[in-house]
Structures are given as structure tokens and as C-alpha cells.
Amino acid sequence: MYILGIETSCDETSAAVLKNGRVLSNVIFSQIKTHRVYGGVVPEIAAREHMSKLPLVVEEAIDKAGITFKVLDGVAVTYAPGLAGGLIVGLSYAKALSIALKIKLIGVNHIEAHLLSPFIEFRDISFPYLGLVISGGHTNVYAANAFGDYELIGSTRDDAAGEAFDKAAKMLGLPYPGGPAISKAAMTGDSSKIIFPQAQMKDKSHDFSFSGIKTAVLYYIQRNKAAIDKGDVTVNDIAAAFQKSIVRSISNKMRRIYEEYKIKSIAISGGVAANAHLKGELERFARDNNMRFYVPSMKLCTDNGAMIAYTGWQYLKNGVSSSMDLEIQPELPALNSK
Ligand code: KG4
Ligand code: ZN
């Protein structure tokens, strides 16, 4: 079965072709350079860029896969959640293709695609697993019990982890996107010079909260201007302390979730899963507890068409596809639990 996957929910225009779940091509056009001057993604500009780039990206994905449009069995497309303009461009394109080629349309939830993305590279992963989807828009932990059966264990009460990285980077004068910039700066910083608070929920829930850490960075910068100007504390030191605090919060939370759920596999996905420090901490935690640990390669962690095609393939195999009245759902906060 040949599936074309289309992703346009944020600032990556991507298309991929999968044959029976195996990636034949995965083309990603990143709009980061366009948005960098604004310090973040500008939704209307993103939509316009998707509009002009998507047809080219799809053609390249078809060419690289060494196939023609005619062999496609279905087109899978992100319909939720994300920026409305981008979602409309992707869904309209997919509908047109589905009509023109007389192939199935499969609407895919972007979060489910991130959650299932480890299956693309790891043939030994199996249900159940603890799935941490951690990106610029989401921070959700699921007990993934089976395909289509995901229990939401916890999510963020305020900023997503990637959003916190992006905002902290802005405060520190680092470029967008903040995650890669902070992790690079942190490599030569001394994380022990400052101790930022860890997010603790007052109740017993497994939810996350990152806005406190972000505010602590803001206050630190405001109150320690002299020391920063003198070079006693550098931007790299602050970046390292911030990253440490975020990573600690996440790994402590995962530890508590594991103690309650006792699920022996953990998979992380989404843009922040590309963070080397986070990967290291969670890998150590998994090893200490004899858990299996899965993290996709960088290209499959950040937004990509392959994960959309893979998820669409799972649906189509199970006889599920979408109708032409499928609408975008920009605000969908999390996957529905069963
Ligand atoms: O999954 P993704 O590409 O898009 C969304 O669905 O949001 O994730 C993008 C987010 C951005 O906030 C970016 O700063 C963050 O992932 N990110 C990172 C790293 N690489 C990307 N955060 C921390 N460390 C990284 N190395
Ligand atoms: Zn994403």
C-alpha cells in the first residue's frame, strides 16, 4: 500500500511516501528562516509559504520515492491541531488530490502521528508504552495501549515545553527556534551557577507546568543585570540552568508516572525529543528501571510527512478513511482517550 503523507500544521511543509509503512521519501521544507526575523511563527506568512511550497514538496516526495501519483492508494493529511491557515492549505490540497486520483483521504491527528512515530524506525516497539509527545505546541504523556487506544495521563497546564524553550531563548537574545539555540548555548554553560525552580503541581496530578521556570528566567535576568554585563554569569550559564530545570521536571514526572503505571517501555517524540540532555536523562532513567527506550531520529522527531503517512496507513489498513466533509480542528488539545 502506497500512502502520501502531508504535513502543514506549523512551519514545516512536508510530504512523504510510505510503502507498507516503510519510508520511501520524506521531504521537509522548513520555513524557519522566514519566521526567524519575527522571533516566532507568523501564522499568515506560514499559510502563504505552505501554499507556494506544498505542490513542489509533494512532487519531490513522489520523485524521490521513484513512483508516480497513479500508484498511490491514499493521501493522509494533518487536519488537527495546528495553525488554521496551514491546516486549510494541506487539507484542501489533499482533498483535491483524493478527488483527482480517486484515492482515499485520511485525516490524521498530528499528536497521534508524533506518538506513533517511533514505530517507523523501531521494529521491536510494541504496545503498551508510555508515550511522551513533547513539542512546540504540546506536552502530553499517554499510556499507548493499542493502536487508537491512548489514555491521556498528563499534559501541560500552561506552556508546552518547546514553547518555554522558545520564550526563554527570546529573553536571552538567542534566535528562533529556541530549543536548538538553548541546547547549543548550554553545551558550554555552567548549569550549577543558578538553580531555577522545578515545576511542582500542588495536586497529585501528572500534569506539567513550565511557565514558572520561564518567569524565573525573566526575573533572574532583570535582577542580575550587573553580573551578566560583567560576564560573571553568561547567557550560556543561564541556558544550561534553564535546560537542566526543564529536563529535571520532565524526568521526575516520568519517574512518578512509571511508578504508578509500571509500563516497561517509554517512547519520546516531538521537536523537544531532539534535545540531547533530555534524551540522556530519560535513557538513564529507562536503563535504571530495565525499561525499553525509544526516540526517533531528529528528522522524525520534528514535524514531518512520514509520521502522517504512517498513521494514515494504520487507519487505512483498518478500513478507516475520511469523507470529503472533513474539517480542520486547530484547537484540539489532546488525543481523545477511550
Ligand atoms: O514537533 P515540532 O517540530 O513542532 C510542533 O509540533 O510544535 O517541535 C518544535 C519545537 C520548538 O519549540 C523547538 O524549539 C523545539 O521543538 N526543539 C527543541 C530542540 N529542537 C527543537 N527543544 C529543545 N531542544 C532541542 N534540541
Ligand atoms: Zn509537531
Side-chain angles (χ1 to χ4, degrees), residues 66-85:
I67 61 158
T68 61
F69 280 98
K70 280 194 190 129
V71 307
L72 290 175
D73 295 283
V75 52
V77 60
T78 306
Y79 78 98
L83 299 172

Side-chain angles (χ1 to χ4, degrees), residues 12 110 114 135-137 162 165-166 177-180 183 270-272 274-275 301-303:
E12 261 93 31
H110 184 89
H114 273 306
S135 70
F165 269 98
D166 294 338
S183 62
V272 184
N275 185 282
C301 271
T302 49
D303 290 349

Side-chain angles (χ1 to χ4, degrees), residues 7 9-12 110 114 134-138 160-166 176-184 243 269-276 278 298 301-304 307:
E7 159 59 37
S9 69
C10 191
D11 60 348
E12 261 93 31
H110 184 89
H114 273 306
I134 186 162
S135 70
H138 320 282
E163 196 180 353
F165 269 98
D166 294 338
Y176 178 85
I182 286 195
S183 62
K184 188 165 168 233
Q243 177 176 264
S269 50
V272 184
N275 185 282
L278 177 68
M298 189 86 98
C301 271
T302 49
D303 290 349
N304 66 88
M307 66 180 190

